[in-house]
Structures are given as structure tokens and as C-alpha cells.
Amino acid sequence: MTERGIVIRDATADDAREIFALEKRYIDCPWTAEQIAAETVADGCVFLVATADGGPVGYVSCEVIAGECEIANVAVAEEYRRRGIGAKLFDRLLSEAKKRGAEKAFLLVREDNAAAIGLYRKLGFTVVGERKNYYNTKNALIMSKSM
């Protein structure tokens, strides 16, 4: 998928180091490059990357198990936000998860991440619960969407 120089494609193990660099910038508890590389080829996983200007600028991954899509880490580089990249990553991810049998999608988001919560609501996710102190002293909202 391309739009204004953005390409959304399946991530590969070769993308792991650059995805890890994004992960370190935006995720409180980042996965290692080795964990990311393993997820790109793991059964049941969907791992997508958005690229522009020669490298990854965003990514999203999920695991599909027993009819559920559990969305793991997602990030878009700050300088590429508000261009629809996150929505496009999610559209493709959820489409692929549905093809693999997912009927419901879940994710966790830090309660004070208003931008992410806004995107997820726009995509049809609703808050179904909360995990206290999940992000050290910050709570996580559990959001879900039927597919």
C-alpha cells in the first residue's frame, strides 16, 4: 500500500533493528531487536511496517489465537504522525487478522495517551476494562473491537 511515499508491508527480520530503534523511542518497555525479528516469522503473528524515506516510520503487530487478535506494540515516528499511517497500519492488520479467523481484537493503551485513544476510538475500539499500574504508575485501558 502506498500513499505520499508511505509503503505498508509485512515486516521482515531484516527490519528488526530499525523497528527496535522506534520501539526504544516510543514504548515504555521495548522489545529487543531479537524479539522483534522472531515475531516477524512466528506462527499466528502479523507484523506490519510502514516505510518512508528509506526506512521504517511505523509498525504494528498482533497475534491471532483462538479467534482473538491481541495487538502488541504499535508506534509511528512523531514526525510522521497525523498522516493516517496509524489508521492504515491498523486497517491492514485487522483485515489480515480477520482472514486468520479473528472475531475480536484487543489492545492495551496507557490511560494518558490521548492521541492513541482517539485513534483507537475512531477505528471502532471501546474501553472494556482497566489494568491498574500496568505501565509502572500509569494505568492501562483495555480496548476491544468486534471484527
Side-chain angles (χ1 to χ4, degrees), residues 49-101:
V49 63
T51 61
D53 302 322
V57 298
Y59 62 93
V60 64
S61 68
C62 75
E63 187 170 12
V64 179
I65 300 173
E68 293 184 348
C69 167
E70 183 178 339
I71 297 166
N73 289 347
V74 55
V76 174
E78 194 167 346
E79 60 272 24
Y80 287 89
R81 292 181 185 167
R82 293 169 205 37
R83 296 187 192 187
I85 294 169
K88 286 177 180 37
L89 282 164
F90 266 86
D91 285 346
R92 181 153 167 212
L93 181 85
L94 295 172
S95 175
E96 183 60 34
K98 190 172 183 176
K99 287 180 198 172
R100 295 181 184 202

Side-chain angles (χ1 to χ4, degrees), residues 11-13 36-45 47:
T12 68
I36 292 166
E39 286 295 301
T40 66
V41 296
D43 286 343
C45 291
F47 205 125

Side-chain angles (χ1 to χ4, degrees), residues 6 15 34 59 66 84 114 129:
I6 304 296
D15 297 315
E34 292 76 17
Y59 62 93

Side-chain angles (χ1 to χ4, degrees), residues 4 10 13 23 26-27 32 35 49 51 61-62 101-102 112 114 138 140:
R4 293 180 276 173
D10 292 335
E23 181 98 346
Y26 300 110
I27 304 297
T32 66
Q35 289 170 311
V49 63
T51 61
S61 68
C62 75
D112 62 350
K138 300 285 184 182

Side-chain angles (χ1 to χ4, degrees), residues 4-34:
R4 293 180 276 173
I6 304 296
V7 175
I8 296 177
R9 61 173 172 75
D10 292 335
T12 68
D14 291 339
D15 297 315
R17 295 256 174 244
E18 290 176 288
I19 291 171
F20 174 64
L22 285 172
E23 181 98 346
K24 285 194 319 187
R25 284 172 58 191
Y26 300 110
I27 304 297
D28 290 338
C29 299
W31 290 358
T32 66
E34 292 76 17

